[in-house]
């Protein structure tokens, strides 16, 4: 359990980073040429998307930049923004291949839902989070600060919303520092077992919730997970222990700290932007948005959940149930769950 304030690059605050541009990579003409050459190579061979491997998507010089970014994601600020992807130049299939190929240089994709989708589409499907089986990426509702159930999140903006949809980030280390400074009596609760709703994405014989700690201090690293809506909706299960007043005080404090002007970093997330977030080190949020009436102009973001090639050391049981495949975390596909049951 961590009982001291964290310092260093992971304990950043939004006001300190807002004027800086060294966390943003603007793709050069040469780097764009490498990406487009790799894309042409994959398309000429006719390789199906899910069979593309890193060697099929060579990036002679950009790969070294991605290695640097991977190090910053794990040992630095925990997020990176890459700008300038030519999403308006290609159709949906080509943009998906581009994103997939680049993502393979950063990690191994894991399943994002019970259907086993490795490449996700974040867009409004008309669903509401009031539904027990709906998840945030399927709605246009406001998503308070949270983390996803994977090591690394990648979001590629194909089309921005007509209005809204702003993304904000907050450093987990700074949030933890705030809890320790303001309510040290609540810190222990971060390391207790909590119960997180799986949103109907469990199989027969599986528990409908995860039983996991919110925080871990392991190998001199703080890892923090948090999704208040799912923590609270897990209360619908009779075998889940009831939340105590102190639990809700902790959640209130995490929400207030992450969303405070003193910690929060607001991003201009536009078409052609790729945002990478280490879920152990950074929480993210999204404002509600309004879409264009034209289907072809509606907000569309592609999503990858990745296990980095150099995995963070985590204590046993941190993920509870994990997705099938070579990665960790994620949502186990139903056919895999059923086969294991």
């Amino acid at each position: 359990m961590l009982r001291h304030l964290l310092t260093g690059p992971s304990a950043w605050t939004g006001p300190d980073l807002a004027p800086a541009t060294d966390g943003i990579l603007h793709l050069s003409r040469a780097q764009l040429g490498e990406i487009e050459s790799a894309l042409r190579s994959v398309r000429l061979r006719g390789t199906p998307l899910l069979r593309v491997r890193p060697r099929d998507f060579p990036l002679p010089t950009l790969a070294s930049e991605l290695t640097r970014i991977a190090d910053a994601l794990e040992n630095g600020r925990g997020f990176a923004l890459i700008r300038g992807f030519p999403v308006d130049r290609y159709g949906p299939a080509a943009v998906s291949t581009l994103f997939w190929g680049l993502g393979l240089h950063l990690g191994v994709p894991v399943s994002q839902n019970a259907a086993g989708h490795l490449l996700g589409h974040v867009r409004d499907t008309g669903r509401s989070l009031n539904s027990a089986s709906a998840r945030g990426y399927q709605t246009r509702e406001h998503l308070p600060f949270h983390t996803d159930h994977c090591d690394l999140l990648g979001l590629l903006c194909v089309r921005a919303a007509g209005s809204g949809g702003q993304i904000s980030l907050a450093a987990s280390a700074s949030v933890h520092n705030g809890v320790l400074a303001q309510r040290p009596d609540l810190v222990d609760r971060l390391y207790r077992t909590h119960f997180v709703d799986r949103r109907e994405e469990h199989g027969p014989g599986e528990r409908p919730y995860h039983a996991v700690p919110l925080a871990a201090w392991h190998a001199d690293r703080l890892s923090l997970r948090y999704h208040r809506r799912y923590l609270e909706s897990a209360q619908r299960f009779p075998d889940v222990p009831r939340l105590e007043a102190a639990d809700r005080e902790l959640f209130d404090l995490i929400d207030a700290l992450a969303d405070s002007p003193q910690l929060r970093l607001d991003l201009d997330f536009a078409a052609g932007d790729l945002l990478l977030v280490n879920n152990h080190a950074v929480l993210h949020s999204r404002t509600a948005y309004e879409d264009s009436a034209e289907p072809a102009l509606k907000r569309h973001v592609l999503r990858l959940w990745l296990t980095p090639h150099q995995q963070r050391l985590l204590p046993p049981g941190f993920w509870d149930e994990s997705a099938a495949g070579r990665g960790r975390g994620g949502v186990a596909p139903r056919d895999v769950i059923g086969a294991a049951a």
Side-chain angles (χ1 to χ4, degrees), residues 229-249:
R229 181 178 289 272
Y230 297 176
L231 287 162
E232 291 182 335
S233 66
Q235 293 290 290
R236 63 196 174 101
F237 304 116
D239 56 332
V240 168
R242 299 302 90 183
L243 289 172
E244 300 175 1
D247 292 318
R248 297 189 186 277
E249 290 174 13

Side-chain angles (χ1 to χ4, degrees), residues 131-150:
S131 168
S133 62
R135 289 172 54 193
Y137 71 91
Q138 300 169 321
T139 81
R140 58 183 176 87
E141 297 174 23
H142 168 56
L143 303 180
F145 277 95
H146 66 285
T147 59
D148 288 354
H149 195 68
C150 62

